[in-house]
Amino acid sequence: PLRSAMQCDVNGVNACMPDLLCEVGVKRMAFAINDERGGTPFQRPNAFYWRGPGGGRILVFNGYEYLRANVYGMHRGFAAFCGGAQKLVDDLRRTNYALPVCLLQGCGTFDDNGLAVPWMAEMSRAWRENGAWREAIAAPGGAGHAGGAPPSAVAPLTVESLEFVSASIDEFFDALEQC
């Protein structure tokens, strides 16, 4: 069953969206708004609960724009993406981001509405099968730990504390709900 929804690019959602999604069993929604011609609600990335006028409530992740992983080099491959991880850390620090999980999206080209490319699927498969870059800080409960403690409460957010994982939107929300 469908448990999570995602809206990328355009901004503007009717206030009854939480009610409508709840009616069909969807309790979580991610946004990756391109704010070039519009605005984003609240500082991002962040997570919050949104209640509709009819009482429906969904967990929302208001993430970076849908090509943000490419800003960190994903469109050039995994090694380039890992090399760009310091910029991600800097961006998260700038917003005082405190959750132990964050959703990033990218595609194989660095342009609007980029095409799916076979090497991205292969890279994603390799992440899932081999663990890719799974370097969490050694201390139990550290920033890479899914235990829910904000990184700032345990240790400063560093490149070494990141854990890059290829995940479905449902897997991301499952981890976010553990926070």
Side-chain angles (χ1 to χ4, degrees):
L2 185 64
R3 300 182 300 143
S4 307
M6 179 181 288
Q7 179 178 342
C8 297
D9 200 8
V10 296
N11 54 355
V13 177
N14 193 295
C16 67
M17 183 62 76
D19 298 325
L20 297 172
L21 289 175
C22 283
E23 283 183 26
V24 297
V26 175
K27 305 282 187 183
R28 312 171 308 183
M29 185 163 187
F31 288 96
I33 298 169
N34 178 351
D35 59 4
E36 183 177 315
R37 292 184 179 87
T40 55
F42 315 116
Q43 178 175 301
R44 62 180 180 171
N46 68 20
F48 59 93
Y49 282 97
W50 181 16
R51 187 174 304 278
R57 185 180 120 164
I58 60 173
L59 175 59
V60 173
F61 186 79
N62 187 31
Y64 287 124
E65 68 274 10
Y66 60 93
L67 288 176
R68 188 57 165 254
N70 290 20
V71 170
Y72 307 124
M74 179 176 276
H75 65 296
R76 295 189 320 267
F78 185 70
F81 180 57
C82 291
Q86 184 60 54
K87 183 168 176 24
L88 169 61
V89 167
D90 294 343
D91 288 347
L92 292 173
R93 281 185 184 149
R94 216 176 345 273
T95 64
N96 295 316
Y97 191 74
L99 294 170
V101 295
C102 186
L103 177 65
L104 287 176
Q105 298 174 31
C107 69
T109 58
F110 199 88
D111 59 350
D112 197 21
N113 302 315
L115 302 172
V117 291
W119 68 263
M120 288 288 287
E122 292 303 318
M123 184 171 72
S124 179
R125 186 174 297 111
W127 284 9
R128 294 182 74 80
E129 292 173 358
N130 303 322
W133 186 19
R134 290 182 173 269
E135 295 186 18
I137 55 177
H145 179 68
S152 58
V154 179
L157 180 63
T158 64
V159 171
E160 292 78 22
S161 70
L162 297 178
E163 179 180 2
F164 293 108
V165 178
S166 174
S168 71
I169 191 69
D170 280 333
E171 291 167 330
F172 166 76
F173 273 112
D174 290 346
L176 181 60
E177 287 176 329
Q178 296 300 312
C179 301

